[in-house]
Amino acid sequence: MVTPSRITLARKRRGLTLAELSQRAGVSLQSLSNYETGRTSPRPPTVRRIAESLDFPERFFSGPEIDELPAEGISWRARTKTPPRVLDAARAAGTLAAQLYDWIDERFRLPEPDVPSLGKPDPETAAEMVRTRWGLGNAPAPNMVHLLEAHGIRVFSLPPDSLEVDAFAVWRGSVPFVFLNTMKTVERSRFDAAHELGHLVMHGSGERGCTGPEAERQANEFASAFLMPAASVLGHMPAGARVDQILQGKRIWKVSAMALTYRMHDMGLLTDWQYRSTCAELSARGYKTDEPQGMKKRETSQVLTKVFGGLRSKGVRPADVADELGVTAEEMNKMLFGLTMTSVEGGGERSSSGRSKGVLTLVP
């Protein structure tokens, strides 16, 4: 029996309209519409054609119902400039990653979410409150993916076909998720992670709107304050710093040169004229879209490394997990940051199904 929501999800994941899938699969538009609404169910040969057209295994379509990640809880950057089908494809990829999380959660004890959903403090105060709660003080933020995971945020990578989407975050019930674009510089990925943390913290309670320019401004200001605490910047950067001093200073907080320049201007350490001239010089040196001589080692997931390392030690391959989820190994690998798997600590507790749960020990 085919599950209607799975046809819809697979179609959105490939960025196709019903009409485009109809043409690819040689199935009438009306029939596809009926399949997705559950009015009728396709026969096995038709399922095979649909599966081949969408590059999903046939078994995917017979799994249980899948609830997509809530669209109303996602703040998309440049939403008006990004085609809806691209946003739908990214949300569908996130939904598949959430299914992988459910599979992992049955077998491993993951950190409990520790993300305060704050009311309406300004972004600077919100960033300070989270830093205090997480014991960071004014020190530079460590590996951002590790930090989020250590506090119960489930972090996955976005597939390369979602390049137009910077990143996004969403609450799925009581569990927070962050999805990162890994095709950007390391410094900008760190800022994206902090930006999405800002959305979870400031817009998760529902007291503020989570979409639109104002929400994006708040998340940017949160990220800036979270990565570059005011006391730390004041202690290291002189007023009116030259470009070379900024290029040296950005290494302290592992941020882009443009991000530090913006933060210093926001704090009054650069005048309007100094800010404009610094941005112009940085742009001329290639720092507007890239980060010359920037960080080389990408920040990736330690949860996924430990999980798949532990599974591999028991003879379970990533392809076996993909098979259980009903997706291709290639599709699943796009969620995993291109990781090299290592071992996981043993021991643990029993899951509700009686399966032994592995214990993950995480450090920020």
Side-chain angles (χ1 to χ4, degrees):
M1 188 71 177
V2 168
T3 306
S5 62
R6 287 179 171 257
I7 299 178
T8 305
L9 183 70
R11 176 177 61 78
K12 288 182 176 179
R13 175 68 193 92
R14 299 298 175 234
L16 298 176
T17 64
L18 273 171
E20 289 167 337
L21 177 57
S22 171
Q23 187 173 15
R24 275 195 187 190
V27 179
S28 75
L29 183 61
Q30 185 60 56
S31 293
L32 283 174
S33 178
N34 288 338
Y35 301 154
E36 290 199 6
T37 57
R39 286 192 290 268
T40 59
S41 187
R43 299 186 179 214
T46 305
V47 175
R48 190 171 303 116
R49 292 208 302 275
I50 293 172
E52 290 173 353
S53 299
L54 294 174
D55 192 25
F56 271 80
E58 288 181 54
R59 62 185 174 277
F60 174 81
F61 299 96
S62 60
E65 288 284 349
I66 294 182
D67 292 326
E68 287 192 68
L69 294 176
E72 65 277 5
I74 300 174
S75 180
W76 301 106
R77 275 174 268 179
R79 184 179 192 134
T80 57
K81 299 179 182 178
T82 308
R85 70 171 65 195
V86 174
L87 301 181
D88 284 344
R91 183 159 70 101
T95 299
L96 292 175
Q99 301 306 303
L100 172 58
Y101 156 72
D102 289 340
W103 189 94
I104 292 171
D105 193 46
E106 287 184 4
R107 295 159 176 80
F108 294 86
R109 192 175 67 201
L110 302 176
E112 291 295 322
D114 176 29
V115 182
S117 189
L118 303 176
K120 292 188 176 182
D122 62 87
E124 186 92 22
T125 301
E128 291 175 1
M129 292 170 71
V130 177
R131 277 185 150 269
T132 299
R133 178 169 175 148
W134 288 0
L136 296 177
N138 289 315
N143 182 308
M144 281 299 298
V145 177
H146 292 184
L147 181 65
L148 298 186
E149 289 182 327
H151 292 278
I153 300 173
R154 315 318 183 195
V155 188
F156 293 90
S157 57
L158 282 169
D161 54 67
S162 294
L163 282 177
E164 293 175 74
V165 177
D166 289 308
F168 72 93
V170 65
W171 284 92
R172 180 177 176 248
S174 60
V175 180
F177 285 81
V178 165
F179 301 92
L180 298 175
N181 185 327
T182 60
M183 306 304 287
K184 303 170 75 172
T185 67
V186 179
E187 291 85 352
R188 282 169 171 77
S189 287
R190 280 173 56 82
F191 194 91
D192 282 348
H195 176 103
E196 299 309 327
L197 174 62
H199 279 307
L200 293 173
V201 168
M202 294 188 295
H203 306 131
S205 65
E207 294 185 45
R208 288 172 162 164
C210 73
T211 60
E214 180 61 15
E216 291 306 302
R217 181 192 65 78
Q218 292 166 355
N220 276 334
E221 290 186 4
F222 176 96
S224 186
F226 188 85
L227 291 173
M228 295 166 280
S232 181
V233 174
L234 289 171
H236 288 88
M237 300 303 295
R242 302 183 307 276
V243 167
D244 288 347
Q245 290 174 301
I246 289 173
L247 294 180
Q248 187 68 31
K250 81 184 189 72
R251 298 189 180 97
I252 298 171
W253 300 282
K254 299 177 182 178
V255 296
S256 70
M258 286 292 193
L260 179 54
T261 301
Y262 179 91
R263 178 64 166 155
M264 292 182 65
H265 177 245
D266 191 50
M267 292 176 58
L269 294 175
L270 293 176
T271 66
D272 290 348
W273 181 86
Q274 289 170 332
Y275 174 70
R276 288 194 298 270
S277 61
T278 299
C279 286
E281 185 173 346
L282 286 172
S283 181
R285 293 196 193 188
Y287 283 89
K288 186 174 182 178
T289 57
D290 199 2
E291 208 64 29
Q293 299 181 332
M295 297 172 64
K296 303 301 181 187
K297 187 175 181 181
R298 184 161 298 283
E299 297 183 349
T300 59
S301 167
Q302 63 175 330
V303 164
L304 297 173
T305 299
K306 287 176 177 286
V307 162
F308 282 94
L311 292 171
R312 180 163 290 173
S313 70
K314 297 178 181 179
V316 180
R317 302 168 303 158
D320 299 325
V321 180
D323 190 61
E324 281 200 48
L325 294 173
V327 299
T328 63
E330 180 185 8
E331 183 71 47
M332 195 184 73
N333 287 340
K334 292 174 182 177
M335 313 170 189
L336 306 179
F337 293 92
L339 290 166
T340 300
M341 305 309 173
T342 57
S343 62
V344 67
E345 296 189 23
E349 61 182 27
R350 294 279 169 182
S351 68
S352 57
S353 62
R355 185 182 290 112
S356 177
K357 274 194 173 187
V359 179
L360 294 174
T361 303
L362 303 185
V363 293

